[in-house]
Amino acid sequence: MPNDRYAAISGQQFIGGQRRATGEAALLSLRADDGQPTGYRFHQATAAETSAAAEAAAAAFAPYSQLSAEQRANFLDAIAEELDALDEAFFAFAMQETALPPARLSGERARTSGQMRLFATLLRRGDVEGVRIDCALPQRSPLPRPDLRQYRTALGPVAVFGASNFPLAFSTAGGDTAAALAAGCPVVFKAHSGHMITAELSAQAIERARKRTGMPAGVFNMIFGNRVGADLVQHPAIQAVGFTGSLQGGRALFDLATRRPHPIPVFAEMSSINPVVILPQALARRGQHIAQELVSSFTLGCGQFCTKPGVIVALRGAAFDRLAETMSALVNAAEPQPMLNTGTLEHYSHGLAALDAHPGMRRLAGRSETPPHRVTAQLYQAEEALLLQADPLLQQEVFGPASILVAVNSEAQLHAALSALQGQLTATLLADDGDLDMAAGLTTLLARKAGRVLFNGYPTGVEVCDAMVHGGPYPATSDARGTSVGTMAIERFLRPVCLQNTPAALLPPPLQDANPLNLLRLVNGVFTRDPLVSPAPN
Amino acid sequence: MPNDRYAAISGQQFIGGQRRATGEAALLSLRADDGQPTGYRFHQATAAETSAAAEAAAAAFAPYSQLSAEQRANFLDAIAEELDALDEAFFAFAMQETALPPARLSGERARTSGQMRLFATLLRRGDVEGVRIDCALPQRSPLPRPDLRQYRTALGPVAVFGASNFPLAFSTAGGDTAAALAAGCPVVFKAHSGHMITAELSAQAIERARKRTGMPAGVFNMIFGNRVGADLVQHPAIQAVGFTGSLQGGRALFDLATRRPHPIPVFAEMSSINPVVILPQALARRGQHIAQELVSSFTLGCGQFCTKPGVIVALRGAAFDRLAETMSALVNAAEPQPMLNTGTLEHYSHGLAALDAHPGMRRLAGRSETPPHRVTAQLYQAEEALLLQADPLLQQEVFGPASILVAVNSEAQLHAALSALQGQLTATLLADDGDLDMAAGLTTLLARKAGRVLFNGYPTGVEVCDAMVHGGPYPATSDARGTSVGTMAIERFLRPVCLQNTPAALLPPPLQDANPLNLLRLVNGVFTRDPLVSPAPN
C-alpha cells in the first residue's frame, strides 16, 4: 500500500501550476525487481491535457524568458535545495521502480542538484548572453556602420523526454530540464513510464521551488502516459525537443518534429557502441588488468549506460587470446542482476538473440540460464569482417551487460575498421608510451567519429562540467553540434538576436554601454569586460 | 560571341581540382535584360559527377580540417586577393547575367573579398576553437575528475546553394562558402542558373587561390545544372547544407536532408516580410520623410533583397493617410526596372496577381503596364484583419519592388497583429523620443519574432560583422540558431569534441598547456589566455 507520507502522489498531470486529470488512472507503477505493481496508479494524459501543458509553457515563455539571469539562477538553486531535501522515502520509491542501489541513487541525486547549481553558476558567470557589439562607424566610407549589438535569447518552450537509466540526473529534474530552464525556456516533461513515482516527486520538488522563487506558473509542466510524445512534439507552441533514449524512439520524434509545418530542432541522444581500442603495447603489458577493467566497465550498473563499451578492438595474437580468456572467466562468474524495467529486460533478450543468430558472431562467455527478472553479462566475439563491412548488427547498441570483442589483423585493418564506424558518443584508446605513434593517427580518426575521445580510461563516467561533450555524429545523436551533459548543453536552447541602433533606454542590461553585469563581451573584435567608450545612439 | 580573354569558360564541373563534363552542354547563360542567350553554354552535371564532387570534398575533408587556423586563414586571404583581381570583363559578364549596375557589383565584390578576410581575421583571433578545459582533480571525492579538454572541429563536407540576388556576396565565393571553408569544411557549390558565367569565373578564382596556397584538391567543387540539388544533399558524404533562396526551395532541401538515413542540418535562409512599424510620434512628425525613405528602401535594387520591407504597419488616422498618399505618388513615379532573370520576373508577376485577387487587398499605386522584361514598383493596402488572422498571403514574401501598408486601430491591435506574425529576418521600429514607452514593449515582442530588430533605419543593409544576425525563426530560416551573415555564421559548421586524459604529446595546439596560440580559453570556469599551471596527464 502507498506510504502515508506520500499520500499526495496523485498521479495527475502538472499543468500551469495545477494538478489535472481527466484521463483514466490506467498507468501502473511497477517494481523493477519482479514487475509487480507498487500500488500507485497514474493518469494517462488526454490530448487536451497535452495541448494545455504546451500552452501553459507558451504562456510562461514571455515572462520567464525576460527574467534576469540572476533570477533564473535563483530558481535553479531552489530546485537544487528541494532535490537535496528529498528523504529516504523518496529513495525507497526510486529503488522500487528502478532496482538501482541506494548508493547509486544518492550519488545521482547529488549529481542532479549539482547540475542545477552548475547552470546557476553559468548564468551568474554571464557566458550565456554571448554578447557581441560592433559600435557605429558614422564616418565610414562608402557607407556608415550602424550600432549592432547581439545577445542570445531563449528559443521557446521545450519538450523533454528523459531516460530510464538515470531516473534523477537524466529525467524530470535532469540535464535537459536544467539546460532549458537555464536558457529561459519553459519545459513540458514527458514522465518516463519506468519511474512515475520518482517523476512525480521530482516534479513536486520543482514546483515547490517555483512557488518559493515566484516563477510564473507553467514554467514547468509534466504529463504522464503512452503515445503523448507525438502530440507534444507536434504542438505549435513547442520550439525544441530534448530526448534521451533509443534510436528508434529518438528518430521517430525527430521525424515528427522535422515534418511539422514549422520544423523545430531535436536534440536526441540515442545509440552508441562506444568502441574501445587496445593498442599493442598496452595489451601486451597490462592485458590482464585491462580485461578486469573492461568487464567491470561494461557490466557496471548492469550495462545500462549510453556510454557502455559495446565493442572492444585489438590486434590479433596471443595477447588478444589471453584477454579474451580472462574476460570470459570474469563474465562467466558474473552474478545475475535485475534491470531497470521489464521493457529493458526484453530489449536485452532480443539484442542477445540477434547476436546469437548472426553467423559472424560467436558467444564466448555468459550464463544462458538466469532466474526470472534477472540477466547476466555476456561476451561475444565478432569476425572482423562485420566491422570492416559496417554490418548493421555490430553498429547497433545492445543496452545491457554485453560486449563484443573484435580482433583485427593489422594497423591498416584497424584504421579501416574504425573508419567504417558510425557516429559515437565516445571512443577510447588504451595506449602505453610505446603506442603513442599509432595513437596519434587514431586520435584524429576517432575525433571525426565521436563526441569524446578518451585515453586510458573507461567511458561510463560522464563528468558534468564546461568541457564535457556528451554528443556525437548520428546515430549517437540527431545533431552532432550539441551536448546533453555539461554547461554547453544550454546552447541548444538559445538563439541570437541583434539589436540595431537601439536607443540606450531600451537596451537590456547585457547590452548596455556601462556593462553593468560585468560580462565578457566581444566589442569591435576584442573580448573585454570594459564599458563602452562611445555611447549608444540616441 | 564569347570574349576571347575568357575562352577558358569551359562550362564544365569543378571536381577535385579538375574540370569534367560528361553531360550535355544544355544550360544556356541568359542576359537578364532581355532573356536572350549570352553565347555561353554550361554542362548539366550528371548523377555520377554530383557524386564525384561530394566524394572529392569527402577526400579533402581529413587533410583540410586538420590544417591550422592560420593555414586556412591564408587560403581565405588568397581567395580575397583573387576576387579583388577580377577585371572589367568579369563585371561585364556579371552585369549581363544579372542586370545589376556596375557600382552595385563592384561594391558587392568588395563585400565578398572583405567577407573572406573577416573570416581569416576570425581564424587568427582564435575564437573558432572555443576551447574549454577542466583540469584533472585526482583527489576529488567521491570520484576523481579526469582531465577534459574541448575544442571545436569541422562538421564535414558542406553543400552550398547560393542566391540569385547576390551573385558575388551570396553565391560561389559568398558568405556560406567563406564560413564553411573557414570552419574547415570542404564545399560543393551548386552554381546558380541565373549567373553561371559569374559562378565559373568566381570558382576559377577560388581554384587559383587553392593552388597558390597548396590546399588539397577537392576543398572546393562546383556543379552546374537543374535537379542536381536533390542528389547532392542526399549524398552520404555531405554533412550540412547552406542555402539562400525561396521558402519552397529551402523547405524541399530541408525535407530531403532530414529524411536521409543519416539526417544532416540545413541552414536555409528563406522567406521574410520584414515588418516596419511606424510609431505615432514618428509618423506625425516625419511621415513625409519616412514615406520617401520607405519607397527608396523597398524599391532599392528592384526590391530584390531578403530584407526588403514587405509590410508597413502604423496606427490609422490622418497621418497614416498622408503617408499612403505620399508613398503612392512616389510609387506611381517609379521607373520600370529589369529584374535578375526571367524566373524572378515571373515570380514577381505571380506574387502581384495573388495580391490583386485577394478581397482584403487593395492596390494603392503602381503602373499596370510595363515594357517587356521590366517591372515597376507596386504599393498595396491590406485590411488589418489579414494581419490579425495571420492570412497566409500577407505572410508570404513577394520578391521584388512591392510593399503592403496596414493601418491598425489601436496599440492593442498593433500588439495582436505583430504577435500573429511568423518568424522574420528583421523587424523595424520607426520611433521618436515620445514613442519610447510604446517601443519598449514592442522591442521585446519583435525580438521573439526576428533575428534583427532595428530602430530608425531600414533593414536592407546587412553589415558583415561579429554582431550581425541574418537569421530568425521559421520561415525566415530553417534554424533560428544560426546566422548566414557575419562571423557567427561559422558556428553552423562546427561541432565540439572533448579529449579526455590525452597525453600531452597528442594534444592539438589549441589544447596544449602552454597555450601556444594565445587563445582565450575557458579554464576551470574562468576565461583566460594564461598557460595551464598543472601539466596534462601523461
Side-chain angles (χ1 to χ4, degrees):
Chain A
M1 272 309 295
N3 180 321
D4 282 335
R5 297 169 63 192
Y6 286 95
I9 299 175
S10 76
Q12 302 185 332
Q13 326 308 323
F14 292 73
I15 299 175
Q18 307 292 319
R19 302 302 300 275
R20 287 167 58 173
T22 51
E24 218 184 326
L27 308 166
L28 293 185
S29 156
L30 301 177
R31 292 199 299 249
D33 199 51
D34 58 7
Q36 294 305 304
T38 62
Y40 286 90
R41 287 169 165 272
F42 291 79
H43 293 265
Q44 168 78 34
T46 62
E49 285 166 343
T50 303
S51 281
E55 279 147 25
F61 177 52
Y64 184 65
S65 62
Q66 284 168 65
L67 295 178
S68 68
E70 177 64 29
Q71 286 169 302
R72 292 205 300 275
N74 292 340
F75 177 36
L76 300 184
D77 279 343
I79 297 174
E81 282 168 28
E82 293 291 343
L83 293 173
D84 284 346
L86 290 170
D87 61 9
E88 288 310 312
F90 168 77
F91 286 109
F93 280 125
M95 200 168 69
Q96 266 194 45
E97 288 188 315
T98 65
L100 293 173
R104 155 68 194 274
L105 287 168
S106 76
E108 196 179 320
R109 190 257 294 272
R111 176 179 166 154
T112 310
S113 55
Q115 211 157 239
M116 286 284 171
R117 292 194 177 94
L118 182 63
F119 279 106
T121 306
L122 180 73
L123 286 169
R124 295 195 176 101
R125 193 166 74 192
D127 40 347
V128 177
E129 281 82 2
V131 175
R132 296 161 160 241
I133 298 176
D134 290 302
C135 293
L137 300 174
Q139 312 301 331
R140 192 183 63 173
S141 165
L143 286 172
R145 181 169 81 180
D147 177 275
L148 293 157
R149 302 182 186 218
Q150 182 189 128
Y151 66 111
R152 294 192 300 183
T153 185
L155 208 51
V158 176
V160 178
F161 297 78
S164 63
N165 59 341
F166 282 92
L168 305 178
F170 253 78
S171 190
T172 310
D176 281 350
T177 298
L181 292 178
C185 299
V187 166
V188 180
F189 193 84
K190 154 69 177 73
H192 199 285
S193 60
H195 51 259
M196 290 184 286
I197 305 177
T198 311
E200 155 116 30
L201 296 177
S202 302
Q204 288 183 11
I206 296 175
E207 277 294 280
R208 284 194 295 274
R210 179 186 72 71
K211 287 178 190 154
R212 267 175 54 195
T213 51
M215 294 292 130
V219 72
F220 179 83
N221 310 274
M222 186 167 79
I223 52 176
F224 295 97
N226 305 314
R227 299 173 306 280
V228 298
D231 285 350
L232 185 57
V233 303
Q234 290 179 100
H235 194 284
I238 298 297
Q239 294 302 306
V241 178
F243 170 90
T244 307
S246 69
L247 177 56
Q248 196 189 2
R251 181 68 196 240
L253 293 180
F254 177 87
D255 288 344
L256 288 171
T258 51
R259 289 169 198 202
R260 289 166 44 131
H262 168 162
I264 56 175
V266 175
F267 304 99
E269 191 266 84
M270 303 183 294
S271 169
S272 181
I273 55 171
N274 305 297
V276 174
V277 182
I278 316 174
L279 296 189
Q281 199 171 96
L283 184 60
R285 291 171 56 171
R286 49 187 173 103
Q288 294 306 295
H289 192 56
I290 287 172
Q292 290 171 13
E293 290 177 333
L294 276 172
V295 173
S296 294
S297 178
F298 84 76
T299 61
L300 180 75
C302 202
Q304 300 171 126
F305 291 107
C306 352
T307 52
K308 179 206 75 176
V311 168
I312 298 154
V313 190
L315 291 181
R316 199 182 299 284
F320 179 90
D321 296 340
R322 282 195 300 276
L323 178 87
E325 208 175 299
T326 309
M327 286 181 73
S328 295
L330 292 165
V331 164
N332 280 327
E335 289 299 318
Q337 303 177 68
M339 289 191 84
L340 287 159
N341 54 58
T342 313
T344 309
L345 205 125
E346 281 168 8
H347 278 125
Y348 183 61
S349 302
H350 291 152
L352 296 185
L355 296 180
D356 287 331
H358 194 293
M361 195 72 73
R362 188 160 58 94
R363 190 197 289 242
L364 292 186
R367 306 189 197 176
S368 47
E369 302 283 312
T370 48
H373 289 281
R374 295 291 182 279
V375 300
T376 55
Q378 303 289 335
L379 184 66
Y380 289 82
Q381 182 166 352
E383 289 171 12
E384 69 271 26
L386 272 66
L387 262 191
L388 291 163
Q389 293 157 15
D391 188 291
L393 186 70
L394 204 64
Q395 304 269 349
Q396 206 170 297
E397 177 180 330
V398 177
F399 194 74
S403 197
I404 302 168
L405 283 166
V406 182
V408 292
N409 295 320
S410 64
E411 189 179 344
Q413 208 178 51
L414 179 60
H415 267 266
L418 297 176
S419 298
L421 284 176
Q422 294 185 311
Q424 304 293 336
L425 292 172
T426 72
T428 300
L429 289 172
L430 302 178
D432 276 7
D433 285 352
D435 295 315
L436 283 191
D437 280 351
M438 198 189 288
L442 291 173
T443 307
T444 312
L445 169 60
L446 293 176
R448 286 202 293 276
K449 295 287 175 185
R452 180 162 55 115
V453 179
L454 298 86
F455 287 79
N456 295 325
Y458 297 89
T460 38
V462 184
E463 182 75 27
V464 183
C465 61
D466 291 322
M468 178 50 63
V469 178
H470 189 66
Y474 192 92
T477 76
S478 56
D479 188 338
R481 295 171 309 126
T483 174
S484 59
V485 177
T487 56
M488 231 188 58
I490 197 174
E491 314 237 339
R492 300 171 298 165
F493 303 123
L494 294 168
R495 69 178 184 89
V497 174
C498 174
L499 299 185
Q500 178 170 327
N501 281 349
T502 305
L506 298 189
L507 284 171
L511 299 183
Q512 290 170 7
D513 287 357
N515 194 15
L517 304 179
N518 191 33
L519 303 177
L520 186 68
R521 309 191 293 188
L522 183 62
V523 178
N524 299 324
V526 177
F527 284 98
T528 176
R529 293 185 196 272
D530 291 342
L532 290 195
V533 187
S534 64
N538 196 12
Chain B
M1 273 308 295
N3 180 322
D4 281 335
R5 297 169 64 191
Y6 286 95
I9 299 175
S10 77
Q12 301 185 331
Q13 325 309 324
F14 291 74
I15 299 174
Q18 308 291 320
R19 302 301 300 273
R20 288 166 57 173
T22 51
E24 218 184 325
L27 309 165
L28 293 185
S29 155
L30 301 177
R31 292 199 300 248
D33 199 52
D34 57 8
Q36 294 305 305
T38 62
Y40 286 90
R41 286 168 167 272
F42 291 79
H43 293 265
Q44 168 77 34
T46 62
E49 284 166 344
T50 302
S51 280
E55 279 148 25
F61 177 52
Y64 183 64
S65 62
Q66 283 168 64
L67 296 177
S68 69
E70 177 64 30
Q71 287 169 302
R72 292 205 299 276
N74 292 340
F75 177 36
L76 299 185
D77 279 343
I79 297 175
E81 282 167 26
E82 293 292 344
L83 293 173
D84 283 345
L86 291 170
D87 62 9
E88 288 310 312
F90 167 77
F91 286 109
F93 281 126
M95 200 169 72
Q96 265 194 46
E97 288 188 315
T98 64
L100 293 172
R104 154 71 193 271
L105 287 168
S106 76
E108 196 179 320
R109 189 257 296 272
R111 175 179 167 153
T112 310
S113 55
Q115 211 157 237
M116 287 283 171
R117 291 194 177 95
L118 181 63
F119 279 105
T121 306
L122 180 72
L123 287 169
R124 295 194 177 102
R125 193 166 73 193
D127 40 347
V128 177
E129 282 82 2
V131 175
R132 295 161 160 240
I133 297 177
D134 290 301
C135 292
L137 299 173
Q139 312 303 331
R140 192 183 62 174
S141 165
L143 286 172
R145 181 170 82 180
D147 177 277
L148 294 157
R149 302 181 186 218
Q150 182 188 129
Y151 66 111
R152 295 192 300 183
T153 186
L155 207 52
V158 176
V160 179
F161 298 78
S164 63
N165 59 341
F166 282 92
L168 306 178
F170 252 78
S171 190
T172 311
D176 281 349
T177 299
L181 292 178
C185 298
V187 166
V188 181
F189 192 84
K190 155 69 176 72
H192 199 286
S193 60
H195 50 260
M196 292 183 285
I197 305 176
T198 312
E200 155 116 29
L201 296 177
S202 302
Q204 288 183 12
I206 296 175
E207 277 294 279
R208 283 194 296 275
R210 178 185 73 72
K211 286 177 191 155
R212 268 174 54 195
T213 52
M215 294 292 129
V219 72
F220 179 83
N221 310 274
M222 186 167 79
I223 54 175
F224 296 95
N226 306 314
R227 297 173 306 278
V228 298
D231 284 350
L232 184 57
V233 303
Q234 290 179 101
H235 194 284
I238 298 297
Q239 295 302 307
V241 178
F243 170 91
T244 306
S246 69
L247 176 57
Q248 196 189 1
R251 180 70 197 239
L253 293 180
F254 177 86
D255 288 343
L256 288 171
T258 52
R259 290 169 197 202
R260 289 167 43 132
H262 168 163
I264 56 174
V266 175
F267 304 98
E269 191 266 84
M270 303 184 294
S271 169
S272 181
I273 56 171
N274 304 298
V276 174
V277 182
I278 315 174
L279 295 189
Q281 198 171 97
L283 184 60
R285 290 170 58 169
R286 50 188 172 103
Q288 294 307 294
H289 191 56
I290 287 172
Q292 289 172 16
E293 290 177 332
L294 276 171
V295 173
S296 293
S297 178
F298 83 77
T299 61
L300 180 75
C302 202
Q304 300 171 124
F305 291 107
C306 352
T307 52
K308 179 205 76 176
V311 168
I312 299 155
V313 190
L315 290 181
R316 199 182 300 283
F320 179 89
D321 295 341
R322 283 194 300 276
L323 178 88
E325 208 174 298
T326 309
M327 287 182 72
S328 294
L330 292 165
V331 165
N332 279 326
E335 290 298 316
Q337 298 175 260
M339 290 192 84
L340 286 159
N341 53 58
T342 314
T344 309
L345 205 123
E346 282 167 6
H347 277 125
Y348 183 60
S349 301
H350 292 152
L352 297 184
L355 296 180
D356 287 332
H358 194 292
M361 195 73 72
R362 189 159 58 93
R363 190 198 290 241
L364 292 186
R367 305 189 197 176
S368 47
E369 300 284 313
T370 48
H373 289 281
R374 293 292 181 278
V375 300
T376 54
Q378 303 289 334
L379 184 66
Y380 288 82
Q381 182 167 351
E383 290 171 12
E384 70 272 24
L386 272 66
L387 263 192
L388 291 163
Q389 293 157 16
D391 189 291
L393 186 70
L394 204 65
Q395 303 270 350
Q396 204 170 299
E397 177 179 331
V398 177
F399 194 73
S403 197
I404 301 167
L405 283 166
V406 182
V408 292
N409 295 320
S410 64
E411 190 178 344
Q413 208 177 51
L414 179 61
H415 267 265
L418 297 177
S419 298
L421 284 176
Q422 295 186 307
Q424 304 293 335
L425 292 172
T426 72
T428 300
L429 289 172
L430 303 177
D432 275 8
D433 286 351
D435 295 315
L436 283 192
D437 281 351
M438 198 189 285
L442 291 173
T443 306
T444 312
L445 169 60
L446 293 175
R448 286 203 293 276
K449 295 286 176 185
R452 180 163 54 115
V453 179
L454 298 86
F455 287 80
N456 295 325
Y458 297 90
T460 38
V462 184
E463 183 75 26
V464 184
C465 62
D466 291 321
M468 179 49 64
V469 178
H470 190 64
Y474 192 91
T477 75
S478 55
D479 188 337
R481 296 171 310 126
T483 175
S484 58
V485 177
T487 56
M488 231 187 58
I490 196 173
E491 315 237 338
R492 299 172 298 166
F493 304 124
L494 295 168
R495 70 178 183 90
V497 174
C498 173
L499 299 186
Q500 177 170 328
N501 281 349
T502 306
L506 299 189
L507 285 171
L511 299 183
Q512 290 170 7
D513 287 356
N515 194 15
L517 304 179
N518 191 33
L519 302 177
L520 186 68
R521 309 191 293 188
L522 182 63
V523 178
N524 299 323
V526 177
F527 284 98
T528 176
R529 292 186 197 273
D530 292 342
L532 290 195
V533 187
S534 64
N538 193 4

